[in-house]
């Protein structure tokens, strides 16, 4: 069965992956493409609908991001959001200019509930605005269907041509009924069936993998993280003992994590995988000796991981397929999808690695966002504590230790982090905080413990709430919980005599420390 699809045309806005996630939450599949995508390619994909995203430009300036005007003549419903709405109006004969009053934040919008876009939406609804320009005059043939005191065209439609423009951002949670509006677009206007269901995805993926692999041998680099774990279990259900998983324990994991991964995926675990654990902690510590610069640490850890994996792969012999836990944000951020994200060089996207002999790469999670990967994991029967675990960076604790990495520092941050996570769970906060962890600073200071002076390290506690991990706000943890963590860390973790709570948002900070 051919999968129905909504196309997201990306003009460089910060929320564009979020648009796609919100559409998928409506059980409708969608993909992100750059605004530079050729119109014929868009036509050939036969989308059920098209969404034009926000972006940082003014649509009337020379060289601004634009689309082929014929896009609006495809006979496919089109929804423009923020910049996408302004571009639609500008292209089709409306007038867009600098707003006399810039709107930013939560604004009450008055809607015309007779529009399909606002079916079952309140007449007065709070929406998230973020614009310097505004639609001064709607394009010919368009009816204004929403406004604010300072924005005469907060939304407009040409129902006959199935063209819709929204000045605000329905994709962010601050827009109270935004998901309802996007659902109205994909169901009431585009006529989608809503057949993007995780149980069907998992079942179809397993069947497809089995047919593609045949009797071939498959190798998977299993880190123990959510993506690689879900990919490994999906492959195991598809091809059984034709799969071998290599787990490289580089000594930079959370406390007891190596043993926990082996317990789930090892020979005594429920999946009966061909599982190889490589304990190379001292090798990594030696490589990192004396290195303090964060990017250099990242490169050393990444390169050494590849070397270890290469050595183990050669011991196994020729294999036909390499499994990678690539997920959809990796694809978009590597420049293979949308326009907006900072381009990153992901080792697991685009092309075969040159260090081992493989015929082909398998990326069973390539179409999924992180929250969808978790849902797929639960569908596969993976324990919730593993599927819903905290995000963990590829270089591990190497970038949660400021300065040089040593075995002693790893022990300190592992113990502090374990205490922090335990107390957060005891307080019932573990499912309400986006990400939380302990990091070891490079600061040492004088303290007093008992009758003795100490000169030890400071631990920083981090906890943030975030929608898309591109921006984040500090989580408000009850003070008594922080005090419990502080007391336990100082009393139980040798070498630590101070505990800080990091209040920095992103931006200007980052979520991780390095």
């Amino acid at each position: 069965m051919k999968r129905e699809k909504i196309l997201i045309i990306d003009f460089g806005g910060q929320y564009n992956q979020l648009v796609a996630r919100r559409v998928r939450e409506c059980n409708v599949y969608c993909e992100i493409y750059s605004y530079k995508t050729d119109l014929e390619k868009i036509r050939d994909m036969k989308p059920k609908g098209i969404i034009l995203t926000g972006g940082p430009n003014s649509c009337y300036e020379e060289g601004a991001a634009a689309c082929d005007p014929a896009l609006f003549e495809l006979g496919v419903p089109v929804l423009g959001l923020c910049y996408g709405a302004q571009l639609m109006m500008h292209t089709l004969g409306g007038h867009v200019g600098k707003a006399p009053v810039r709107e930013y934040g939560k604004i009450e919008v008055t809607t015309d509930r007779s529009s399909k876009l606002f079916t079952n939406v309140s007449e007065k609804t709070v929406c998230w605005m973020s614009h310097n320009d505004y639609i001064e005059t709607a394009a010919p043939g368009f009816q204004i269907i929403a406004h604010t005191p300072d924005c005469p065209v907060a939304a407009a439609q040409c129902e006959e041509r199935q063209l819709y423009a929204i000045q605000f951002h329905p994709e962010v949670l601050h827009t109270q009924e935004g998901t309802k509006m996007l659902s109205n677009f994909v169901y009431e206007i585009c006529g989608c069936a809503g057949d993007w269901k995780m149980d069907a995805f998992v079942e179809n993926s397993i069947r497809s993998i089995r047919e593609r692999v045949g009797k071939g041998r498959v190798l998977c680099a299993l880190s123990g993280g959510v993506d690689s774990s879900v990919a490994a279990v999906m492959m195991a259900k598809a091809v059984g003992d034709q799969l071998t998983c290599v787990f490289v324990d580089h000594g930079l994991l959370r406390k007891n994590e190596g043993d926990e991964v082996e317990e789930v995926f090892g020979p005594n675990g429920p999946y009966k995988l061909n599982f190889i654990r490589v304990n190379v902690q001292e090798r990594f510590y030696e490589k990192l000796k004396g290195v303090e610069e964060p990017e250099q640490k990242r490169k050393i850890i990444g390169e050494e991981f590849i070397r270890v994996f290469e050595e183990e792969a050669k011991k196994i012999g020729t294999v036909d397929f390499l499994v990678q836990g690539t997920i959809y944000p990796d694809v978009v951020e590597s420049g293979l999808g949308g326009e907006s994200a900072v381009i990153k060089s992901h080792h697991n996207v685009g092309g075969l690695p040159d260090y081992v002999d493989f015929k082909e790469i398998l990326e069973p999670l390539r179409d999924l966002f992180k929250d969808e990967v978790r849902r797929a994991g639960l569908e596969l029967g993976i324990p919730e504590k593993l599927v819903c675990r905290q995000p963990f960076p590829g270089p591990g604790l190497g970038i949660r230790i400021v300065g040089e990495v040593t075995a002693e520092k790893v022990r300190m941050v592992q113990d502090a982090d374990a205490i922090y996570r335990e107390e957060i769970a005891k307080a019932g906060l573990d499912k309400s905080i986006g990400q939380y962890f302990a990091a070891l600073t490079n600061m040492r200071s004088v303290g007093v413990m008992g009758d003795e002076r100490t000169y030890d390290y400071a631990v920083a506690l981090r906890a943030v709430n975030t929608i898309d991990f591109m921006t984040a706000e500090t989580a408000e943890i009850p003070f008594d919980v922080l005090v419990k963590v502080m007391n336990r860390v100082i009393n139980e973790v040798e070498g630590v005599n101070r505990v800080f709570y990091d209040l920095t948002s992103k931006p200007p900070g980052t979520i991780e420390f390095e």
Side-chain angles (χ1 to χ4, degrees), residues 24-42:
R24 291 194 186 184
E25 285 170 6
C26 297
N27 295 323
V28 175
Y29 183 73
C30 64
E31 291 180 353
I32 301 172
Y33 288 88
S34 167
Y35 71 91
K36 299 171 186 173
T37 304
D38 184 74
L39 184 66
E40 286 308 308
K41 181 177 179 180
I42 293 173

mmCIF file of all heavy atoms in Angstrom, residues 24-42:
data_model
loop_
_atom_site.group_PDB
_atom_site.id
_atom_site.type_symbol
_atom_site.label_atom_id
_atom_site.label_comp_id
_atom_site.label_asym_id
_atom_site.label_seq_id
_atom_site.Cartn_x
_atom_site.Cartn_y
_atom_site.Cartn_z
ATOM 1 N N ARG A 24 2.687 14.329 12.338
ATOM 2 C CA ARG A 24 2.754 12.893 12.587
ATOM 3 C C ARG A 24 1.959 12.497 13.833
ATOM 4 O O ARG A 24 1.456 11.387 13.921
ATOM 5 C CB ARG A 24 4.204 12.444 12.709
ATOM 6 C CG ARG A 24 4.950 12.523 11.394
ATOM 7 C CD ARG A 24 6.242 11.770 11.473
ATOM 8 N NE ARG A 24 7.058 11.943 10.276
ATOM 9 C CZ ARG A 24 8.199 11.320 10.079
ATOM 10 N NH1 ARG A 24 8.654 10.485 10.995
ATOM 11 N NH2 ARG A 24 8.899 11.518 8.987
ATOM 12 N N GLU A 25 1.872 13.415 14.798
ATOM 13 C CA GLU A 25 1.048 13.138 15.976
ATOM 14 C C GLU A 25 -0.425 13.002 15.598
ATOM 15 O O GLU A 25 -1.213 12.426 16.344
ATOM 16 C CB GLU A 25 1.229 14.244 17.018
ATOM 17 C CG GLU A 25 2.556 14.153 17.762
ATOM 18 C CD GLU A 25 2.830 15.383 18.618
ATOM 19 O OE1 GLU A 25 1.941 16.253 18.724
ATOM 20 O OE2 GLU A 25 3.936 15.473 19.170
ATOM 21 N N CYS A 26 -0.776 13.534 14.432
ATOM 22 C CA CYS A 26 -2.140 13.361 13.903
ATOM 23 C C CYS A 26 -2.268 12.049 13.132
ATOM 24 O O CYS A 26 -3.266 11.827 12.430
ATOM 25 C CB CYS A 26 -2.497 14.535 12.976
ATOM 26 S SG CYS A 26 -2.543 16.144 13.783
ATOM 27 N N ASN A 27 -1.240 11.186 13.219
ATOM 28 C CA ASN A 27 -1.212 9.894 12.509
ATOM 29 C C ASN A 27 -1.161 10.068 10.994
ATOM 30 O O ASN A 27 -1.690 9.246 10.241
ATOM 31 C CB ASN A 27 -2.398 9.007 12.899
ATOM 32 C CG ASN A 27 -2.356 8.589 14.348
ATOM 33 O OD1 ASN A 27 -1.286 8.322 14.893
ATOM 34 N ND2 ASN A 27 -3.509 8.560 14.983
ATOM 35 N N VAL A 28 -0.504 11.139 10.560
ATOM 36 C CA VAL A 28 -0.321 11.404 9.126
ATOM 37 C C VAL A 28 1.179 11.525 8.865
ATOM 38 O O VAL A 28 1.875 12.306 9.526
ATOM 39 C CB VAL A 28 -1.048 12.690 8.693
ATOM 40 C CG1 VAL A 28 -0.745 13.008 7.231
ATOM 41 C CG2 VAL A 28 -2.557 12.538 8.898
ATOM 42 N N TYR A 29 1.675 10.761 7.908
ATOM 43 C CA TYR A 29 3.104 10.772 7.597
ATOM 44 C C TYR A 29 3.483 12.038 6.845
ATOM 45 O O TYR A 29 2.717 12.540 6.008
ATOM 46 C CB TYR A 29 3.474 9.550 6.755
ATOM 47 C CG TYR A 29 4.948 9.449 6.462
ATOM 48 C CD1 TYR A 29 5.849 9.084 7.458
ATOM 49 C CD2 TYR A 29 5.449 9.744 5.196
ATOM 50 C CE1 TYR A 29 7.211 9.008 7.209
ATOM 51 C CE2 TYR A 29 6.810 9.661 4.932
ATOM 52 C CZ TYR A 29 7.691 9.302 5.939
ATOM 53 O OH TYR A 29 9.031 9.241 5.686
ATOM 54 N N CYS A 30 4.659 12.586 7.140
ATOM 55 C CA CYS A 30 5.133 13.763 6.407
ATOM 56 C C CYS A 30 6.651 13.735 6.313
ATOM 57 O O CYS A 30 7.323 13.041 7.085
ATOM 58 C CB CYS A 30 4.662 15.049 7.084
ATOM 59 S SG CYS A 30 5.333 15.262 8.733
ATOM 60 N N GLU A 31 7.178 14.488 5.376
ATOM 61 C CA GLU A 31 8.629 14.617 5.194
ATOM 62 C C GLU A 31 8.968 16.076 4.956
ATOM 63 O O GLU A 31 8.151 16.845 4.439
ATOM 64 C CB GLU A 31 9.106 13.776 4.004
ATOM 65 C CG GLU A 31 9.024 12.279 4.242
ATOM 66 C CD GLU A 31 9.501 11.464 3.034
ATOM 67 O OE1 GLU A 31 9.769 12.073 1.968
ATOM 68 O OE2 GLU A 31 9.602 10.240 3.157
ATOM 69 N N ILE A 32 10.213 16.444 5.316
ATOM 70 C CA ILE A 32 10.684 17.821 5.176
ATOM 71 C C ILE A 32 11.586 17.932 3.947
ATOM 72 O O ILE A 32 12.495 17.118 3.761
ATOM 73 C CB ILE A 32 11.477 18.251 6.430
ATOM 74 C CG1 ILE A 32 10.607 18.135 7.681
ATOM 75 C CG2 ILE A 32 12.002 19.675 6.279
ATOM 76 C CD1 ILE A 32 11.358 18.355 8.983
ATOM 77 N N TYR A 33 11.353 18.967 3.137
ATOM 78 C CA TYR A 33 12.183 19.225 1.964
ATOM 79 C C TYR A 33 12.538 20.711 1.917
ATOM 80 O O TYR A 33 11.762 21.567 2.357
ATOM 81 C CB TYR A 33 11.469 18.828 0.666
ATOM 82 C CG TYR A 33 11.364 17.343 0.491
ATOM 83 C CD1 TYR A 33 10.280 16.636 1.026
ATOM 84 C CD2 TYR A 33 12.349 16.621 -0.169
ATOM 85 C CE1 TYR A 33 10.182 15.267 0.897
ATOM 86 C CE2 TYR A 33 12.253 15.246 -0.303
ATOM 87 C CZ TYR A 33 11.174 14.571 0.229
ATOM 88 O OH TYR A 33 11.094 13.206 0.105
ATOM 89 N N SER A 34 13.701 21.012 1.385
ATOM 90 C CA SER A 34 14.133 22.401 1.219
ATOM 91 C C SER A 34 13.230 23.135 0.225
ATOM 92 O O SER A 34 12.677 22.526 -0.710
ATOM 93 C CB SER A 34 15.575 22.431 0.705
ATOM 94 O OG SER A 34 15.923 23.728 0.262
ATOM 95 N N TYR A 35 13.131 24.449 0.405
ATOM 96 C CA TYR A 35 12.362 25.264 -0.552
ATOM 97 C C TYR A 35 12.987 25.239 -1.947
ATOM 98 O O TYR A 35 12.357 25.626 -2.930
ATOM 99 C CB TYR A 35 12.238 26.709 -0.039
ATOM 100 C CG TYR A 35 13.523 27.504 -0.075
ATOM 101 C CD1 TYR A 35 13.869 28.263 -1.188
ATOM 102 C CD2 TYR A 35 14.394 27.506 1.009
ATOM 103 C CE1 TYR A 35 15.047 28.996 -1.225
ATOM 104 C CE2 TYR A 35 15.567 28.236 0.987
ATOM 105 C CZ TYR A 35 15.895 28.982 -0.131
ATOM 106 O OH TYR A 35 17.060 29.710 -0.156
ATOM 107 N N LYS A 36 14.225 24.771 -2.047
ATOM 108 C CA LYS A 36 14.908 24.701 -3.339
ATOM 109 C C LYS A 36 14.527 23.442 -4.131
ATOM 110 O O LYS A 36 14.966 23.261 -5.264
ATOM 111 C CB LYS A 36 16.422 24.712 -3.116
ATOM 112 C CG LYS A 36 16.929 25.980 -2.417
ATOM 113 C CD LYS A 36 18.385 25.845 -2.020
ATOM 114 C CE LYS A 36 18.856 27.040 -1.201
ATOM 115 N NZ LYS A 36 20.217 26.856 -0.665
ATOM 116 N N THR A 37 13.723 22.563 -3.525
ATOM 117 C CA THR A 37 13.328 21.320 -4.189
ATOM 118 C C THR A 37 12.574 21.613 -5.484
ATOM 119 O O THR A 37 11.681 22.460 -5.517
ATOM 120 C CB THR A 37 12.444 20.468 -3.263
ATOM 121 O OG1 THR A 37 13.152 20.244 -2.036
ATOM 122 C CG2 THR A 37 12.097 19.134 -3.900
ATOM 123 N N ASP A 38 12.955 20.914 -6.538
ATOM 124 C CA ASP A 38 12.352 21.131 -7.852
ATOM 125 C C ASP A 38 10.849 20.830 -7.820
ATOM 126 O O ASP A 38 10.407 19.853 -7.206
ATOM 127 C CB ASP A 38 13.039 20.223 -8.878
ATOM 128 C CG ASP A 38 12.541 20.467 -10.289
ATOM 129 O OD1 ASP A 38 12.907 21.487 -10.873
ATOM 130 O OD2 ASP A 38 11.763 19.607 -10.777
ATOM 131 N N LEU A 39 10.073 21.661 -8.504
ATOM 132 C CA LEU A 39 8.613 21.515 -8.509
ATOM 133 C C LEU A 39 8.185 20.168 -9.080
ATOM 134 O O LEU A 39 7.219 19.559 -8.609
ATOM 135 C CB LEU A 39 7.971 22.652 -9.305
ATOM 136 C CG LEU A 39 6.442 22.670 -9.305
ATOM 137 C CD1 LEU A 39 5.904 22.963 -7.906
ATOM 138 C CD2 LEU A 39 5.906 23.682 -10.304
ATOM 139 N N GLU A 40 8.897 19.677 -10.092
ATOM 140 C CA GLU A 40 8.523 18.390 -10.684
ATOM 141 C C GLU A 40 8.692 17.245 -9.690
ATOM 142 O O GLU A 40 7.909 16.293 -9.682
ATOM 143 C CB GLU A 40 9.347 18.135 -11.953
ATOM 144 C CG GLU A 40 8.915 18.978 -13.141
ATOM 145 C CD GLU A 40 7.407 18.860 -13.406
ATOM 146 O OE1 GLU A 40 6.908 17.713 -13.510
ATOM 147 O OE2 GLU A 40 6.737 19.903 -13.482
ATOM 148 N N LYS A 41 9.720 17.347 -8.863
ATOM 149 C CA LYS A 41 9.918 16.315 -7.835
ATOM 150 C C LYS A 41 8.757 16.348 -6.847
ATOM 151 O O LYS A 41 8.247 15.294 -6.435
ATOM 152 C CB LYS A 41 11.238 16.551 -7.097
ATOM 153 C CG LYS A 41 11.530 15.520 -6.023
ATOM 154 C CD LYS A 41 12.883 15.743 -5.374
ATOM 155 C CE LYS A 41 13.151 14.708 -4.287
ATOM 156 N NZ LYS A 41 14.466 14.896 -3.632
ATOM 157 N N ILE A 42 8.330 17.554 -6.474
ATOM 158 C CA ILE A 42 7.186 17.694 -5.570
ATOM 159 C C ILE A 42 5.928 17.101 -6.220
ATOM 160 O O ILE A 42 5.175 16.355 -5.596
ATOM 161 C CB ILE A 42 6.967 19.175 -5.200
ATOM 162 C CG1 ILE A 42 8.137 19.680 -4.346
ATOM 163 C CG2 ILE A 42 5.634 19.379 -4.475
ATOM 164 C CD1 ILE A 42 8.110 21.161 -4.068
#
